[in-house]
């Protein structure tokens, strides 16, 4: 009898529960999940819904499966595309918070009420810095980063659409329950994890015409044990870094080639 990918993962995890103590089981559970592609898809955040920042939302296409972003749009105008290919410089504009939605998760709202600051401005600044750094670090970057837009540049505009902090207090309780009661307490992280959603568009700096747009939504990665669970925006920083690296890679990858998305599970401790 054949066992599918996801049922196969469940079967392996069940055997681990029967044979190993809590601590070792949780470590092996993390490794098992990380190896299961179906588990990654199941744990990925769903699309957040487009904001007015995203132009032509009705023409947006589901890009999951071949690009690292959930939704994309590319202009069908051949003249705009042709002009964009001649640009070799990129200006990353300050990130806008004009479309940021209120925190909707109950526990995240309580964390804010308990004194966790939402830190929108700091997150917006960090997001821009990560995109700039991704191009400057890349040995094969297609675009040279410039401080100001000009007639020979493209401009990347970014917007933070959703931003909910991780619950440090909630995760502390979950960690205690995992070790003292049952590893199944890890499922409680659905209530304690934060999330971040962004949208971006690339425009011709001279004409202002948009030729590419994208949107993505990430929540806290499932982990065995790490310091990010106790930092309100530790997971958000990792998501921002992933988005920046993925975008830079996408700009120099031939059309039609698949670009791998980040995993929803990680074994990294920080």
């Amino acid at each position: 009898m054949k066992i599918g990918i996801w049922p196969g993962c469940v079967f392996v995890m069940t055997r681990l529960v029967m044979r190993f103590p809590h601590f070792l089981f949780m470590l092996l559970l993390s490794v098992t999940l990380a190896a299961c592609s179906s588990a990654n898809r199941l744990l990925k955040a769903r699309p957040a819904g487009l904001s007015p920042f995203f132009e032509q939302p009705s023409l947006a296409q589901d890009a999951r499966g071949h690009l690292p972003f959930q939704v994309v749009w590319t202009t069908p105008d051949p003249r705009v595309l042709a002009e964009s290919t001649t640009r070799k410089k990129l200006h990353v504009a300050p990130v806008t918070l004009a479309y940021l939605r209120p925190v909707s998760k109950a526990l995240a709202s309580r964390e804010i009420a308990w004194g966790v600051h939402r830190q929108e401005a700091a997150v917006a600044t960090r997001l821009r810095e990560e995109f700039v750094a991704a191009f400057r670090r890349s040995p094969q970057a297609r675009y040279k980063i410039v401080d100001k837009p000009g007639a020979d540049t493209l401009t990347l505009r970014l917007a933070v659409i959703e931003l909910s902090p991780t619950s440090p207090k909630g995760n502390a309780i979950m960690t205690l329950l995992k070790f003292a009661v049952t590893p199944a307490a890890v499922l409680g992280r659905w209530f304690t994890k934060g999330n971040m959603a962004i949208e971006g568009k690339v425009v011709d700096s001279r004409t202002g015409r948009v030729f590419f747009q994208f949107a993505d939504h990430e929540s806290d990665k499932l982990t065995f044990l790490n310091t990010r669970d106790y930092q309100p925006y530790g997971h958000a920083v990792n998501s921002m870094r992933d988005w920046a690296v993925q975008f830079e890679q996408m700009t120099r990858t031939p059309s039609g080639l698949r670009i791998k998305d980040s995993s929803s599970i990680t074994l990294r401790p920080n």
Side-chain angles (χ1 to χ4, degrees), residues 96-257:
T96 181
L97 296 169
Y99 304 90
L100 182 61
R101 296 164 182 154
V103 174
S104 59
K105 297 188 70 172
L107 193 52
S109 297
R110 285 193 174 274
E111 287 282 359
I112 293 173
W114 291 334
V116 171
H117 298 294
R118 203 175 179 193
Q119 299 180 15
E120 299 101 327
V123 168
T125 299
R126 181 62 179 268
L127 180 61
R128 182 173 185 265
E129 290 173 348
E130 291 293 345
F131 272 79
V132 169
F135 280 89
R136 288 181 172 165
R137 285 195 303 259
S138 173
Q140 299 176 312
R142 178 175 180 177
Y143 299 108
K144 177 184 178 182
I145 294 294
V146 294
D147 294 331
K148 297 181 180 179
D152 60 343
T153 69
L154 297 175
T155 296
L156 171 62
R157 298 174 182 167
L158 297 164
V160 179
I161 305 304
E162 293 188 7
L163 180 64
S164 297
T166 299
S167 172
K169 294 182 178 66
N171 280 333
I173 295 173
M174 291 300 107
T175 299
L176 178 63
L177 292 176
K178 280 191 295 185
F179 285 98
V181 183
T182 171
V186 70
L187 300 177
R189 289 193 72 255
W190 189 88
F191 300 98
T192 65
K193 64 182 181 179
N195 70 292
M196 183 175 178
I198 66 168
E199 294 173 2
K201 52 188 172 186
V202 184
V203 307
D204 187 303
S205 301
R206 182 175 61 85
T207 65
R209 287 182 293 189
V210 180
F211 81 89
F212 179 75
Q213 298 181 97
F214 65 93
D216 201 46
H217 180 206
E218 293 284 356
S219 57
D220 297 357
K221 296 179 185 293
L222 181 64
T223 59
F224 165 60
L225 188 64
N226 67 90
T227 59
R228 292 182 303 277
D229 282 350
Y230 314 105
Q231 303 168 30
Y233 298 99
H235 286 279
V237 170
N238 274 14
S239 294
M240 290 187 276
R241 187 173 296 119
D242 287 343
W243 282 321
V245 171
Q246 291 163 354
F247 180 82
E248 186 280 324
Q249 183 182 1
M250 184 181 64
T251 62
R252 56 182 168 85
T253 300
S255 178
L257 293 184

Side-chain angles (χ1 to χ4, degrees), residues 57-101:
S58 62
L59 300 178
Q61 297 181 327
D62 188 334
R64 289 170 292 182
H66 64 281
L67 287 177
F69 304 112
Q70 294 169 331
V71 173
V72 300
W73 173 90
T74 304
T75 179
D77 190 329
R79 292 176 300 175
V80 176
L81 285 174
E83 289 180 7
S84 70
T85 59
T86 66
R87 308 291 191 253
K88 303 301 180 183
K89 299 177 182 178
L90 179 70
H91 169 65
V92 182
V95 176
T96 181
L97 296 169
Y99 304 90
L100 182 61
R101 296 164 182 154

Side-chain angles (χ1 to χ4, degrees), residues 2-74:
K2 293 184 177 180
I3 299 177
I5 295 177
W6 178 245
C9 293
V10 174
F11 174 76
V12 172
M13 288 185 288
T14 302
R15 294 296 299 273
L16 291 173
V17 173
M18 297 171 61
R19 296 184 60 185
F20 295 98
H22 281 17
F23 186 86
L24 185 56
F25 162 69
M26 285 189 289
L27 178 58
L28 292 174
L29 173 61
S30 299
V31 174
T32 302
L33 283 173
C36 295
S37 58
S38 293
N40 272 300
R41 289 194 296 270
L42 183 66
L43 295 170
K44 270 289 185 181
R46 300 296 183 266
L50 299 176
S51 78
F53 177 83
F54 197 104
E55 302 176 32
Q56 300 92 18
S58 62
L59 300 178
Q61 297 181 327
D62 188 334
R64 289 170 292 182
H66 64 281
L67 287 177
F69 304 112
Q70 294 169 331
V71 173
V72 300
W73 173 90
T74 304

